Amino acid sequence: MPKLLEIKNVKKSYGKKEAVKGISFEVGEGEIFALIGPNGAGKTTTLRMISTLIEINDGQILLGDIDVKKNPAKARELLTYLPDEAGAYKNMTGINYLKFMAELCTNSAEEQKKSVDYAVSVCSSLGDAIYDKIKTYSKGMMRKLLIARAVMTRPKLAILDEPTSGLDIINGLEVRNFIKSLTETGMSVLLSSHNMLEIDYVSDRVAIIDKGIIYAIGTPKELKEKYEAQNLEEVFVKCVKEVEGSREE
Amino acid sequence: MKNKFFVIFKKELKDLITVQTLFPLVLIFVLFYFLGNMMPSLISDDTVTIQSEQTDQSGQTSEVEITVSKNSMIGFIDYDKSELSDYIYVNLPTRGITPIIPKSSNPEEAMTELETYNLNGEEIKIQSLIVIPEGLDAKLRAGEYVSIDAYSSIDSFGLTSMIAGASAQTAIGSINSVLTRELFDLYGGDPSIDINYINYPVYSNDYTYLNSKTEKVNATMVLSYVSSQTMFIPIIIMLILMMASQMIAGSIVNEKTDKTLETLMTAPMNRMSVLLAKVLAAAIYAIIYAVVFSISNNNFMGSMAGGDIYPEGFAATLETFGITFNITTLAIVGVQLFLSVLCGLAISLLIGMMIEDIKSLQAYLIPIIFAVMIPYFLSMFLDINTLPLIAKILVYAIPFTHTYTAFTNIFVQNYTLLIFGAIYQAIFVAILLTVAVRIFNSDKLFTLGQIMKKKPGKKNGSFSIGKWRIG
């Protein structure tokens, strides 16, 4: 699988606090890659660095052949980012929000129309509520709208931070299925979650991250076999214990 | 068990009293401390010590030092050189007026001389002059009314100028008061004499001295006219700045709290467009607000004036003085107003970028509001140019001051200060916007919050910025 994203020994500190301590991984074209770890592990910082919101202190991020640090504007043309707990302009209607974002993210009226049509089809379960003001939306409706916004331009890379956080079982499943279907269009997805069962279901490959360090990378199946675990939660606990144990020695 | 009221009370206090809310308070305290220290020096600067002759009960005359207000000093030219004119000169101090005799006996030359009068080595500004006409003594003894020329100099349009402008009138009142006693002795028992004449034997011919020109017009009328036409300007500036500051800072903070900023900043577009769009939208809103307020205010002021209350030829007189509201004047003030708005927007933009929530925003905007109000009140009550040097520099360092003083500087033809003010405001805006653009193009917008986050295990209420620990 050709590489789309390459993270090379990337570091990030906030003042004296090291949030990411030199991580490396790759995401292939059409791959769903997940960062799993507890809160404060460095997942969001990593996603924000790739999405050009924050600058790296050291290392390199390559998106295709674009160095994200040197040419963030060019990188932004290839990616979209859905932050954790993201919001939308509450006084706009759902459809107007999609049109507004399409105007910002595309360069022609034709592209705009295509993007909006695709986004509307993605969040078709909203029904007529797409014409209602966003302030009337439930959390699940809002998340569906925002996911539609994130993929509307069919970017090379969709970065989704905790895409199902706060969603109920049915809405969560719907979103997970949708994410899984994105790779059919050739889109790569980089997502983060602390819901390991979700990651197990949706991801092609997984990186286990904690305290700014990546402990292991592999497919969910590979990791479960390697750590003789029933699920990714067990993998996470065993992996962290193993690495920390070897460090103490 | 703790009283539940106190549990909530403690929590509410903790929410309200934070570093973010205390910082503006400290700033306000420092500002008022500075103003408090400045004011007494202004008041003491308003008096001057002079030598005066005093006659005691035994009739002996001696020289004593007395302290008088600068505003009580008026120029005094006596063309009559008579017993009564001398009587006026000697007795005016008993009415709180200190007459000063200029070297020149030509009124216009005397006004120029009195602008920078040297009194015991100290240069003071005397803004009024009265000219006792030849024949005053003879006319008064013949029971005739006498007109006295009263000159007032205008060098600014604050409230203090109103007082200075009225001092010639006060002097005429005092002369009437002084003469009443003498005339009562002269005509006391004469039933044919009008009591009104005894009370007011002299009246004034008012002249105003402005921009080295003298016109036969009442200074208070000129000041009232300018005041009525310009008094709404500072109010507009104040309101616009407050509104625009809230709008722009609120716009950034709302994007942060609603979590829409990250989406916007990762969109494939120039980040400068985001920033400029926000600034321009807020500026346009402020301008619309200014236009609506100006029109409403003009209508209101027009209805209050109740028609043309000024005498014939008043407009021509104003034109001679250079006090005209033409396109150029309005354009200059418009530019300064726009620059002021941009200054306010740029400061608020930076505040909006650095804080995370609306509660902190309100607290951080308070110093801006004070920075807007301080020059507003100062320009209302006094001429900022008369402040001590350090105070003047500090007040002019506030970019909004230059807009408040724009009309005054135009009307007194102080173009240097006017141009300097506009350049200073433009530089101020350019620097702040450059900083804002740099922050907007960097990751500071998102990392400042992380850097300022409380560290686990540290005392409540403390945070660190780099190596500095606060709280």
Side-chain angles (χ1 to χ4, degrees), chain B residues 34 38 384-397 401:
Chain B
F34 154 73
M38 196 176 75
I384 291 170
N385 291 325
T386 60
L387 290 173
L389 184 65
I390 295 175
K392 196 158 71 177
I393 291 170
L394 285 171
V395 175
Y396 272 122
T401 307

Side-chain angles (χ1 to χ4, degrees), chain B residues 211 322 329 332-333 405-415 418:
Chain B
N211 295 331
T329 316
I332 293 169
V333 177
T405 55
F407 268 124
T408 301
N409 286 331
I410 290 171
F411 292 157
V412 298
Q413 295 174 0
N414 194 346
Y415 297 119
L418 196 70

Side-chain angles (χ1 to χ4, degrees), chain B residues 65 180 248 343 379 384 413:
Chain B
E65 275 193 349
T180 298
I248 189 80
C343 287
S379 65
I384 291 170
Q413 295 174 0

Side-chain angles (χ1 to χ4, degrees), chain B residues 5 25 117 167 208 212 257 295 312 314 317 347 369 402 419:
Chain B
F5 162 77
L25 274 182
Y117 188 76
S167 65
T208 298
S212 306
T257 52
I295 294 168
E312 204 179 318
F314 186 65
T317 306
I347 299 170
I369 291 167
H402 300 277
I419 292 164

Side-chain angles (χ1 to χ4, degrees), chain B residues 237-263:
Chain B
I237 297 168
M238 206 166 71
L239 287 172
I240 291 170
L241 283 170
M242 286 179 190
M243 294 293 291
S245 300
Q246 295 265 1
M247 295 293 290
I248 189 80
S251 160
I252 299 277
V253 176
N254 280 337
E255 296 263 15
K256 282 185 183 179
T257 52
D258 291 348
K259 303 262 182 187
T260 50
L261 190 62
E262 285 150 316
T263 306

Side-chain angles (χ1 to χ4, degrees), chain A residues 168-201:
Chain A
D168 58 34
I169 297 168
I170 294 170
N171 279 313
L173 188 66
E174 200 181 316
V175 169
R176 275 192 285 275
N177 284 334
F178 173 69
I179 292 170
K180 221 167 162 58
S181 72
L182 284 173
T183 51
E184 290 161 19
T185 62
M187 194 186 298
S188 302
V189 179
L190 172 61
L191 57 91
S192 84
S193 179
H194 54 261
N195 181 345
M196 315 251 178
L197 294 174
E198 169 182 297
I199 297 298
D200 199 349
Y201 173 73

Side-chain angles (χ1 to χ4, degrees), chain A residues 208 210 215 227 234-249:
Chain A
I208 295 173
D210 192 23
Y215 288 90
Y227 290 96
E234 252 183 79
V235 170
F236 179 79
V237 173
K238 286 183 177 176
C239 172
V240 171
K241 270 186 186 168
E242 184 189 284
V243 176
E244 288 190 344
S246 66
R247 273 190 184 170
E248 279 168 18
E249 282 166 24

